[in-house]
Amino acid sequence: MNTKNNQRFRAMDVRLKATMLHLLQETPFESITVTKVCQVAGVNRSTFYAHYTDLFDMLGQIETRLRQELSETLAEMDILSKASLTLFLRHVRQHHFFYQAVLRHHPESVRFLDADTMYQHVILPYCRRKGVTGAAEAGYLLTFFQAGFTMVLRQWVESGCLEGEEEMTALFPYAPEALANTQKI
């Protein structure tokens, strides 16, 4: 029986995901179909649906794996450092075809920092320095910084990651060092 815990099922899962990543290098996500994935992988549709509910589910599972890989890479680092942001960007560049698709369809899911970490370690210290005392204002700043980061990241990925990771790290206004030196909102 081909269940999620057996080796054959896991091998097929890897094969299907590899096929999707290969297709993303050549084809916009909007043009990829379950039929195309199955044709390229050499499997039937029932095999695909034994693994995923649809293509978005497949992307979500790939994203989960990549997030775990990134977490392991960053585990020993200070997440609020320029070095960790640079490693994050290197990871995005390495998988840029995947992130291009995700940033088009689910941009909110691509985060360098989770909302709580950003709020506690970046937004609140920034607000204290600037004299911002209201929770609503801090919430708006959090949304502003997250959206700004996401859109810059999306533009970088859409352009083929032309600039280097260090160059991009210097651009992001909420890198802790940059925020510490900011005088105006």
Side-chain angles (χ1 to χ4, degrees):
M1 186 170 176
N2 206 9
T3 64
K4 289 186 179 187
N5 292 325
N6 80 23
Q7 188 174 359
R8 187 172 169 202
F9 187 91
R10 289 190 306 267
M12 183 56 66
D13 189 54
V14 168
R15 182 174 171 185
L16 287 165
K17 287 175 181 169
T19 299
M20 173 58 91
L21 292 172
H22 171 75
L23 287 171
L24 284 171
Q25 292 180 32
E26 304 168 345
T27 310
F29 178 74
E30 303 79 31
S31 300
I32 297 173
T33 63
V34 171
T35 300
K36 182 69 173 175
V37 172
C38 293
Q39 286 174 344
V40 174
V43 301
N44 60 41
R45 291 173 65 87
S46 63
T47 300
F48 178 91
Y49 288 113
H51 291 264
Y52 318 104
T53 56
D54 57 22
L55 292 173
F56 290 103
D57 180 37
M58 181 186 232
L59 275 184
Q61 288 186 35
I62 294 170
E63 182 180 10
T64 298
R65 183 183 58 77
L66 290 176
R67 192 179 310 240
Q68 289 168 340
E69 177 184 304
L70 180 62
S71 293
E72 291 168 9
T73 302
L74 297 175
E76 301 297 318
M77 298 188 75
D78 174 7
I79 193 66
L80 295 174
S81 69
K82 282 187 175 186
S84 63
L85 179 56
T86 300
L87 278 177
F88 170 78
L89 292 170
R90 190 166 295 133
H91 171 84
V92 170
R93 176 186 286 235
Q94 180 182 359
H95 305 286
H96 107 273
F97 294 109
F98 168 77
Y99 282 106
Q100 191 173 41
V102 172
L103 284 164
R104 277 190 201 137
H105 298 284
H106 299 289
E108 72 286 347
S109 69
V110 179
R111 297 275 185 252
F112 171 61
L113 298 174
D114 64 86
D116 188 55
T117 300
M118 164 108 34
Y119 188 79
Q120 294 298 321
H121 298 282
V122 177
I123 300 301
L124 288 180
Y126 179 82
C127 287
R128 282 192 287 276
R129 282 195 311 279
K130 299 299 177 187
V132 175
T133 58
E137 291 90 346
Y140 286 125
L141 281 171
L142 174 64
T143 300
F144 172 78
F145 283 114
Q146 285 180 321
F149 175 83
T150 302
M151 294 313 293
V152 170
L153 187 62
R154 182 177 176 180
Q155 182 177 342
W156 184 58
V157 169
E158 289 287 333
S159 72
C161 301
L162 296 176
E163 297 82 7
E165 294 88 359
E166 291 82 8
E167 190 177 349
M168 291 305 295
T169 297
L171 290 177
F172 286 115
Y174 68 77
E177 295 87 348
L179 273 180
N181 297 321
T182 302
Q183 298 301 313
K184 295 180 182 177
I185 294 180

